Amino acid sequence: MSSDTGIIIVGAGECGARAALSLRENGYRQAITLIGDEVHLPYERPPLSKQVLLDEATPQASAVLSDIMLGERAIRHIIGASASDIDIVGKQLVLSDGRALPYDKLLLTTGAAPRRLSNAPTSGRIFYLRTFDDALALRSRLRADMHVAVLGGGFIGLEVAASARSRGAKVTVIESQERILKRGVPEPIAETMTALHRRNGVVVKCGVTVLGLEADEQRVAIFLSEGDMISADVLVVGIGAQPRIELAAQAGIAVDNGIAVNERLETSVTDIYAAGDRCSFPHPLYGGRRLRLEAWRNAQDQGILAAANLTGAARSYQAVPYFWSDQYDHTLQIAGLADEGQMVVRRDLGDGAFILFHLDGERRLVAASGVGPGNKIARDIKLSEMLIAKRVIPPIEALAASVNLKSLLPNAAQEIAVLSIHEQTT
């Protein structure tokens, strides 16, 4: 391998940054180039809908890599640049400014982009939230005497709603589905979160669609299918995300709800890998079902695994899917995939907190979803994640009762030690 080529990572978010760090930790000594289309250091996105909007002091991006870390590890970081083409035969990445960078191996981690409203007017009062700059722009508009409309009752929309309400704004959430959190969140938890938002003064409208929008320098008018018109100071759109597949598709790389990769995160083209929000992959815990996960944990884990495989490890991705959301004083967490049709066993933990255990047709634990104040559910969700990974078929009565989930783990003593280490580092 020549020293002037090495590995290029396209996408300088959580996934790409973790991959770059892990390459050096794995002993990789050739060139590493990390390319990002933003002008910031790699940073974490979860705070954008929470701390960045809420902090009293001027917020700073929560950096994954600092300039010092980049320098110490000899990671070349190209900012404000995007890739326009991949020359697969010549093994070169072409940037939008015309530069052609040779590579030995290529990792694509550019994530997903917010789904845009069709036929929406151009307005400085309509916001999408994906980048740190997006969050700063929205933060600059938030004030206690305003009305914030949020289109979309998913994680991002609800976190923005909670943050805006905590800042004293009037908030209306508009969701076209019959309930919020329709994708991957069980109905009892969605009902709990709806009640939580309403207790905090948020108006939640479900089962209504937007027929049209009008905007001027002062307001946004939102015309709904139920006949109402909402007049808001700003509109925040959170209606999902689309994987950024254009570069891969143009190069002839296979796509399937994202860039299609195998269990080792390899694309259909030799020496090109993909990881994070933009790729779909088969998951062994769910019968090889192809998944695409938009989650911080997945981005981190796949970045680390991609780095190992780029250096010859040939490992399969088997991490249990994990999602979380903080809203007001409550935390929602899901380990695994909670699908309709699964058998559900409920465990109540007090103070309104509860966990739903999801079992497949063979009574194997395949997901655990919970909600509650503070860290009430955190330990049981972590233990559930371990049980899911071990493909445990637990006694149903043990799940419903107050039986300690640690006792259901194979090799319980070893697993408890792992859990203790996890708790000390979180």
Side-chain angles (χ1 to χ4, degrees):
M1 182 182 295
S2 61
S3 61
D4 60 345
T5 52
I7 293 172
I8 295 179
I9 302 170
V10 185
E14 179 79 35
C15 188
R18 294 294 176 187
L21 279 174
S22 295
L23 283 169
R24 289 298 186 227
E25 290 169 359
N26 294 343
Y28 183 75
R29 296 189 177 184
Q30 306 301 325
I32 300 174
T33 302
L34 180 63
I35 299 172
D37 56 8
E38 296 185 58
V39 297
H40 305 290
L41 289 165
Y43 61 86
E44 296 189 349
R45 297 191 189 279
L48 300 184
S49 55
K50 299 180 278 287
Q51 292 98 310
V52 173
L53 300 182
L54 287 172
D55 286 351
E56 292 293 333
T58 301
Q60 302 294 321
S62 180
V64 180
L65 285 170
S66 66
D67 284 322
I68 292 175
M69 294 170 69
L70 288 164
E72 287 177 344
R73 291 159 177 79
I75 298 170
R76 181 189 183 192
H77 182 210
I78 299 177
I79 64 172
S82 59
S84 62
D85 193 20
I86 304 171
D87 176 0
I88 291 174
V89 176
K91 298 188 76 170
Q92 293 189 105
L93 180 76
V94 181
L95 301 186
S96 53
D97 61 8
R99 280 182 288 175
L101 306 179
Y103 66 84
D104 288 304
K105 294 184 179 180
L106 184 66
L107 174 61
L108 306 175
T109 63
T110 51
R115 192 179 300 277
R116 300 272 166 172
L117 279 176
S118 59
N119 302 320
T122 300
S123 171
R125 293 185 174 272
I126 299 177
F127 293 86
Y128 298 85
L129 187 59
R130 176 66 183 178
T131 69
F132 182 64
D133 290 339
D134 291 339
L136 290 181
L138 176 58
R139 172 191 169 88
S140 71
R141 290 281 193 176
L142 289 179
R143 61 179 189 277
D145 60 345
M146 73 184 309
H147 184 190
V148 176
V150 177
L151 181 56
F155 286 154
I156 293 295
L158 294 176
E159 288 171 3
V160 169
S163 296
R165 190 72 192 101
S166 298
R167 291 280 300 271
K170 176 183 176 182
V171 179
T172 301
V173 172
I174 305 161
E175 171 54 56
S176 62
Q177 301 278 355
E178 66 271 18
R179 66 170 173 88
I180 63 171
L181 298 170
K182 181 67 175 179
R183 190 179 68 168
V185 177
E187 188 169 354
I189 291 181
E191 291 173 350
T192 297
M193 298 309 293
T194 300
L196 176 66
H197 277 275
R198 286 176 172 158
R199 284 200 306 272
N200 280 276
V202 175
V203 175
V204 181
K205 290 178 171 287
C206 293
V208 296
T209 56
V210 174
L211 299 180
L213 295 172
E214 294 179 1
D216 57 27
E217 294 182 358
Q218 302 299 321
R219 312 286 288 175
V220 179
I222 307 157
F223 299 91
L224 302 180
S225 56
E226 62 180 11
D228 286 354
M229 188 278 284
I230 294 175
S231 178
D233 293 278
V234 299
L235 170 65
V236 182
V237 181
I239 55 174
Q242 295 176 309
R244 299 174 67 179
I245 62 171
E246 297 82 7
L247 180 67
Q250 178 180 309
I253 298 171
V255 297
D256 180 4
N257 184 30
I259 300 174
V261 298
N262 63 16
E263 67 278 6
R264 296 182 296 276
L265 306 181
E266 298 167 318
T267 72
S268 60
V269 174
T270 302
D271 292 333
I272 299 181
Y273 294 66
D277 294 7
R278 76 182 302 176
C279 79
S280 67
F281 61 96
H283 204 300
L285 285 174
Y286 303 96
R289 173 178 166 187
R290 185 164 286 276
L291 308 177
R292 187 176 66 82
L293 303 176
E294 299 168 10
W296 173 86
R297 170 81 70 81
N298 179 69
Q300 184 181 73
D301 289 348
Q302 287 197 344
I304 293 170
L305 182 75
N309 289 345
L310 283 162
T311 53
R315 297 175 188 163
S316 296
Y317 187 72
Q318 302 185 45
V320 176
Y322 172 81
F323 310 87
W324 99 94
S325 178
D326 294 326
Q327 299 169 38
Y328 308 106
D329 61 343
H330 275 53
T331 296
L332 183 165
Q333 295 185 37
I334 300 175
L337 298 180
D339 293 334
E340 292 183 5
Q342 296 167 344
M343 180 180 181
V344 177
V345 180
R346 177 170 172 143
R347 170 182 288 203
D348 288 295
L349 301 173
D351 296 328
F354 64 92
I355 289 179
L356 303 177
F357 299 101
H358 305 260
L359 309 175
D360 67 9
E362 298 177 351
R363 303 295 176 89
R364 177 170 68 92
L365 183 65
V366 292
S369 51
V371 65
N375 292 320
K376 194 79 175 180
I377 63 170
R379 184 175 175 83
D380 275 359
I381 290 290
K382 183 60 186 177
L383 285 164
S384 298
E385 186 180 338
M386 294 179 176
L387 291 168
I388 295 166
K390 297 291 185 181
R391 302 174 184 262
V392 169
I393 299 177
I396 292 175
E397 61 275 12
L399 298 178
S402 57
V403 173
N404 194 323
L405 296 179
K406 291 187 299 186
S407 65
L408 306 181
L409 284 165
N411 305 316
Q414 179 180 351
E415 299 294 344
I416 291 168
V418 172
L419 179 63
S420 298
I421 294 171
H422 169 80
E423 290 177 334
Q424 292 169 16
T425 57
T426 57

